[in-house]
Amino acid sequence: METPSKDNTLYLPIRQVYFDEIVAGTKKEEYRECKPGITMNRYLQKDASEPSGYKINPETATPGQMYYWDDYNGGRYPFLPKPFKYLSLAVGYARERDTALVAVKGFHFKPEAVRRDKDGKPVFCFWVMAIELGDVVHVHRK
């Protein structure tokens, strides 16, 4: 197992109820909306050679084609997530708080709030990244 580092660990603030479910093993996925700017920069691999600035997933999109953050793209997310191995979870923002380190099994993306054109064809949506949770590596209770 890889050692957690800044490059392979995603830090996420989380509510206590969801933190407790993850630590107990009952919550198997954590969700984050992919919005332009800060969140996409945190979650996605960058690629300056692509028109969008993000690395294209060749299994779901065409390299060199321009994709926007809200493109439906046939229900397939066009970008690749960063290869995080761990989630560093912290309840809220207080200095003294519950924290945990959780292994990441993988990622998948879900289209939400799909917007259709006048003919009913899906065109835009909000994308949600589902982080598939593995074993809890470490827990610290305040």
Side-chain angles (χ1 to χ4, degrees), residues 53-76:
Y54 298 102
K55 191 166 187 168
I56 298 296
N57 183 343
E59 294 178 10
T60 62
T62 305
Q65 182 174 323
M66 181 63 180
Y67 292 95
Y68 295 96
W69 69 276
D70 59 352
D71 283 342
Y72 182 71
N73 190 40
R76 300 170 312 171

mmCIF file of all heavy atoms in Angstrom, residues 53-76:
data_model
loop_
_atom_site.group_PDB
_atom_site.id
_atom_site.type_symbol
_atom_site.label_atom_id
_atom_site.label_comp_id
_atom_site.label_asym_id
_atom_site.label_seq_id
_atom_site.Cartn_x
_atom_site.Cartn_y
_atom_site.Cartn_z
ATOM 1 N N GLY A 53 -8.265 22.283 -20.983
ATOM 2 C CA GLY A 53 -7.266 22.396 -19.930
ATOM 3 C C GLY A 53 -7.216 21.185 -19.022
ATOM 4 O O GLY A 53 -6.377 21.100 -18.124
ATOM 5 N N TYR A 54 -8.107 20.205 -19.251
ATOM 6 C CA TYR A 54 -8.155 18.997 -18.438
ATOM 7 C C TYR A 54 -7.906 17.770 -19.301
ATOM 8 O O TYR A 54 -8.245 17.739 -20.483
ATOM 9 C CB TYR A 54 -9.518 18.872 -17.732
ATOM 10 C CG TYR A 54 -9.761 20.020 -16.792
ATOM 11 C CD1 TYR A 54 -10.598 21.059 -17.153
ATOM 12 C CD2 TYR A 54 -9.123 20.077 -15.565
ATOM 13 C CE1 TYR A 54 -10.808 22.132 -16.296
ATOM 14 C CE2 TYR A 54 -9.326 21.148 -14.712
ATOM 15 C CZ TYR A 54 -10.160 22.171 -15.083
ATOM 16 O OH TYR A 54 -10.361 23.234 -14.256
ATOM 17 N N LYS A 55 -7.330 16.739 -18.677
ATOM 18 C CA LYS A 55 -7.011 15.516 -19.399
ATOM 19 C C LYS A 55 -8.297 14.791 -19.794
ATOM 20 O O LYS A 55 -9.170 14.552 -18.963
ATOM 21 C CB LYS A 55 -6.120 14.611 -18.555
ATOM 22 C CG LYS A 55 -5.543 13.462 -19.323
ATOM 23 C CD LYS A 55 -4.417 12.800 -18.573
ATOM 24 C CE LYS A 55 -3.783 11.777 -19.472
ATOM 25 N NZ LYS A 55 -2.529 11.300 -18.930
ATOM 26 N N ILE A 56 -8.390 14.444 -21.065
ATOM 27 C CA ILE A 56 -9.569 13.767 -21.603
ATOM 28 C C ILE A 56 -9.489 12.269 -21.321
ATOM 29 O O ILE A 56 -8.434 11.654 -21.456
ATOM 30 C CB ILE A 56 -9.674 14.010 -23.129
ATOM 31 C CG1 ILE A 56 -9.847 15.506 -23.427
ATOM 32 C CG2 ILE A 56 -10.778 13.195 -23.762
ATOM 33 C CD1 ILE A 56 -11.118 16.113 -22.896
ATOM 34 N N ASN A 57 -10.612 11.693 -20.952
ATOM 35 C CA ASN A 57 -10.708 10.245 -20.784
ATOM 36 C C ASN A 57 -10.961 9.659 -22.170
ATOM 37 O O ASN A 57 -12.051 9.833 -22.725
ATOM 38 C CB ASN A 57 -11.848 9.896 -19.831
ATOM 39 C CG ASN A 57 -11.953 8.417 -19.572
ATOM 40 O OD1 ASN A 57 -11.407 7.601 -20.303
ATOM 41 N ND2 ASN A 57 -12.651 8.062 -18.514
ATOM 42 N N PRO A 58 -9.988 8.959 -22.761
ATOM 43 C CA PRO A 58 -10.165 8.450 -24.126
ATOM 44 C C PRO A 58 -11.265 7.395 -24.255
ATOM 45 O O PRO A 58 -11.720 7.112 -25.356
ATOM 46 C CB PRO A 58 -8.791 7.877 -24.470
ATOM 47 C CG PRO A 58 -8.138 7.602 -23.165
ATOM 48 C CD PRO A 58 -8.698 8.598 -22.193
ATOM 49 N N GLU A 59 -11.714 6.830 -23.138
ATOM 50 C CA GLU A 59 -12.794 5.839 -23.181
ATOM 51 C C GLU A 59 -14.167 6.492 -23.291
ATOM 52 O O GLU A 59 -15.134 5.838 -23.663
ATOM 53 C CB GLU A 59 -12.744 4.950 -21.941
ATOM 54 C CG GLU A 59 -11.505 4.079 -21.884
ATOM 55 C CD GLU A 59 -11.457 3.234 -20.626
ATOM 56 O OE1 GLU A 59 -12.468 3.166 -19.885
ATOM 57 O OE2 GLU A 59 -10.394 2.635 -20.380
ATOM 58 N N THR A 60 -14.256 7.798 -22.933
ATOM 59 C CA THR A 60 -15.559 8.456 -22.911
ATOM 60 C C THR A 60 -15.626 9.715 -23.759
ATOM 61 O O THR A 60 -16.703 10.302 -23.879
ATOM 62 C CB THR A 60 -15.956 8.829 -21.471
ATOM 63 O OG1 THR A 60 -14.987 9.752 -20.950
ATOM 64 C CG2 THR A 60 -16.038 7.605 -20.578
ATOM 65 N N ALA A 61 -14.499 10.143 -24.329
ATOM 66 C CA ALA A 61 -14.478 11.406 -25.071
ATOM 67 C C ALA A 61 -13.397 11.378 -26.151
ATOM 68 O O ALA A 61 -12.549 10.491 -26.171
ATOM 69 C CB ALA A 61 -14.245 12.559 -24.116
ATOM 70 N N THR A 62 -13.429 12.375 -27.020
ATOM 71 C CA THR A 62 -12.494 12.474 -28.129
ATOM 72 C C THR A 62 -11.392 13.476 -27.801
ATOM 73 O O THR A 62 -11.685 14.665 -27.619
ATOM 74 C CB THR A 62 -13.229 12.937 -29.404
ATOM 75 O OG1 THR A 62 -14.316 12.043 -29.646
ATOM 76 C CG2 THR A 62 -12.297 12.959 -30.594
ATOM 77 N N PRO A 63 -10.132 13.021 -27.699
ATOM 78 C CA PRO A 63 -9.030 13.955 -27.442
ATOM 79 C C PRO A 63 -8.995 15.054 -28.513
ATOM 80 O O PRO A 63 -9.251 14.820 -29.683
ATOM 81 C CB PRO A 63 -7.781 13.075 -27.509
ATOM 82 C CG PRO A 63 -8.283 11.711 -27.133
ATOM 83 C CD PRO A 63 -9.664 11.637 -27.751
ATOM 84 N N GLY A 64 -8.689 16.281 -28.080
ATOM 85 C CA GLY A 64 -8.613 17.418 -28.986
ATOM 86 C C GLY A 64 -9.932 18.142 -29.169
ATOM 87 O O GLY A 64 -9.951 19.264 -29.665
ATOM 88 N N GLN A 65 -11.040 17.523 -28.792
ATOM 89 C CA GLN A 65 -12.350 18.176 -28.902
ATOM 90 C C GLN A 65 -12.581 19.022 -27.652
ATOM 91 O O GLN A 65 -12.158 18.667 -26.564
ATOM 92 C CB GLN A 65 -13.454 17.129 -29.035
ATOM 93 C CG GLN A 65 -14.844 17.740 -29.204
ATOM 94 C CD GLN A 65 -15.907 16.686 -29.487
ATOM 95 O OE1 GLN A 65 -15.648 15.714 -30.182
ATOM 96 N NE2 GLN A 65 -17.078 16.887 -28.936
ATOM 97 N N MET A 66 -13.259 20.129 -27.806
ATOM 98 C CA MET A 66 -13.545 21.005 -26.670
ATOM 99 C C MET A 66 -14.753 20.493 -25.898
ATOM 100 O O MET A 66 -15.819 20.270 -26.472
ATOM 101 C CB MET A 66 -13.813 22.432 -27.162
ATOM 102 C CG MET A 66 -14.095 23.403 -26.050
ATOM 103 S SD MET A 66 -12.663 23.546 -24.968
ATOM 104 C CE MET A 66 -13.231 24.714 -23.798
ATOM 105 N N TYR A 67 -14.561 20.277 -24.602
ATOM 106 C CA TYR A 67 -15.644 19.887 -23.709
ATOM 107 C C TYR A 67 -15.756 20.932 -22.609
ATOM 108 O O TYR A 67 -14.761 21.456 -22.131
ATOM 109 C CB TYR A 67 -15.372 18.515 -23.072
ATOM 110 C CG TYR A 67 -15.408 17.390 -24.065
ATOM 111 C CD1 TYR A 67 -14.242 16.929 -24.657
ATOM 112 C CD2 TYR A 67 -16.608 16.787 -24.417
ATOM 113 C CE1 TYR A 67 -14.273 15.888 -25.580
ATOM 114 C CE2 TYR A 67 -16.643 15.749 -25.331
ATOM 115 C CZ TYR A 67 -15.474 15.306 -25.911
ATOM 116 O OH TYR A 67 -15.504 14.284 -26.807
ATOM 117 N N TYR A 68 -16.982 21.210 -22.194
ATOM 118 C CA TYR A 68 -17.230 22.143 -21.109
ATOM 119 C C TYR A 68 -17.638 21.363 -19.868
ATOM 120 O O TYR A 68 -18.063 20.204 -19.945
ATOM 121 C CB TYR A 68 -18.317 23.147 -21.507
ATOM 122 C CG TYR A 68 -17.866 24.037 -22.643
ATOM 123 C CD1 TYR A 68 -18.200 23.715 -23.956
ATOM 124 C CD2 TYR A 68 -17.087 25.163 -22.409
ATOM 125 C CE1 TYR A 68 -17.779 24.518 -25.010
ATOM 126 C CE2 TYR A 68 -16.660 25.970 -23.451
ATOM 127 C CZ TYR A 68 -17.008 25.639 -24.747
ATOM 128 O OH TYR A 68 -16.581 26.416 -25.780
ATOM 129 N N TRP A 69 -17.560 22.010 -18.730
ATOM 130 C CA TRP A 69 -17.814 21.348 -17.456
ATOM 131 C C TRP A 69 -19.217 20.778 -17.345
ATOM 132 O O TRP A 69 -19.447 19.823 -16.620
ATOM 133 C CB TRP A 69 -17.541 22.315 -16.300
ATOM 134 C CG TRP A 69 -18.535 23.429 -16.204
ATOM 135 C CD1 TRP A 69 -18.527 24.608 -16.903
ATOM 136 C CD2 TRP A 69 -19.695 23.465 -15.386
ATOM 137 N NE1 TRP A 69 -19.613 25.366 -16.556
ATOM 138 C CE2 TRP A 69 -20.352 24.707 -15.625
ATOM 139 C CE3 TRP A 69 -20.249 22.578 -14.464
ATOM 140 C CZ2 TRP A 69 -21.513 25.067 -14.975
ATOM 141 C CZ3 TRP A 69 -21.423 22.941 -13.823
ATOM 142 C CH2 TRP A 69 -22.034 24.175 -14.081
ATOM 143 N N ASP A 70 -20.164 21.331 -18.099
ATOM 144 C CA ASP A 70 -21.550 20.881 -17.978
ATOM 145 C C ASP A 70 -22.060 20.135 -19.213
ATOM 146 O O ASP A 70 -23.256 19.912 -19.345
ATOM 147 C CB ASP A 70 -22.461 22.062 -17.664
ATOM 148 C CG ASP A 70 -22.416 23.163 -18.724
ATOM 149 O OD1 ASP A 70 -21.564 23.093 -19.635
ATOM 150 O OD2 ASP A 70 -23.241 24.093 -18.637
ATOM 151 N N ASP A 71 -21.173 19.722 -20.110
ATOM 152 C CA ASP A 71 -21.596 18.943 -21.285
ATOM 153 C C ASP A 71 -22.106 17.575 -20.850
ATOM 154 O O ASP A 71 -21.474 16.887 -20.055
ATOM 155 C CB ASP A 71 -20.427 18.735 -22.261
ATOM 156 C CG ASP A 71 -20.116 19.964 -23.090
ATOM 157 O OD1 ASP A 71 -20.983 20.865 -23.176
ATOM 158 O OD2 ASP A 71 -19.006 20.023 -23.647
ATOM 159 N N TYR A 72 -23.247 17.186 -21.405
ATOM 160 C CA TYR A 72 -23.819 15.869 -21.085
ATOM 161 C C TYR A 72 -22.994 14.744 -21.709
ATOM 162 O O TYR A 72 -22.781 13.706 -21.095
ATOM 163 C CB TYR A 72 -25.276 15.808 -21.541
ATOM 164 C CG TYR A 72 -25.936 14.499 -21.201
ATOM 165 C CD1 TYR A 72 -26.238 14.193 -19.879
ATOM 166 C CD2 TYR A 72 -26.236 13.568 -22.190
ATOM 167 C CE1 TYR A 72 -26.835 12.985 -19.550
ATOM 168 C CE2 TYR A 72 -26.833 12.364 -21.865
ATOM 169 C CZ TYR A 72 -27.123 12.072 -20.553
ATOM 170 O OH TYR A 72 -27.709 10.884 -20.225
ATOM 171 N N ASN A 73 -22.522 14.925 -22.935
ATOM 172 C CA ASN A 73 -21.626 13.977 -23.606
ATOM 173 C C ASN A 73 -22.171 12.542 -23.594
ATOM 174 O O ASN A 73 -21.450 11.592 -23.295
ATOM 175 C CB ASN A 73 -20.225 14.032 -22.976
ATOM 176 C CG ASN A 73 -19.192 13.265 -23.776
ATOM 177 O OD1 ASN A 73 -19.184 13.302 -25.001
ATOM 178 N ND2 ASN A 73 -18.311 12.561 -23.089
ATOM 179 N N GLY A 74 -23.434 12.392 -23.882
ATOM 180 C CA GLY A 74 -24.021 11.051 -23.918
ATOM 181 C C GLY A 74 -24.057 10.355 -22.569
ATOM 182 O O GLY A 74 -24.135 9.130 -22.495
ATOM 183 N N GLY A 75 -23.982 11.126 -21.478
ATOM 184 C CA GLY A 75 -24.008 10.537 -20.139
ATOM 185 C C GLY A 75 -22.667 9.992 -19.694
ATOM 186 O O GLY A 75 -22.585 9.239 -18.724
ATOM 187 N N ARG A 76 -21.596 10.366 -20.404
ATOM 188 C CA ARG A 76 -20.244 9.879 -20.075
ATOM 189 C C ARG A 76 -19.347 11.079 -19.763
ATOM 190 O O ARG A 76 -19.195 11.972 -20.595
ATOM 191 C CB ARG A 76 -19.669 9.079 -21.234
ATOM 192 C CG ARG A 76 -20.534 7.858 -21.575
ATOM 193 C CD ARG A 76 -20.107 7.210 -22.845
ATOM 194 N NE ARG A 76 -19.947 8.267 -23.865
ATOM 195 C CZ ARG A 76 -19.413 8.064 -25.045
ATOM 196 N NH1 ARG A 76 -18.989 6.896 -25.391
ATOM 197 N NH2 ARG A 76 -19.289 9.061 -25.904
#
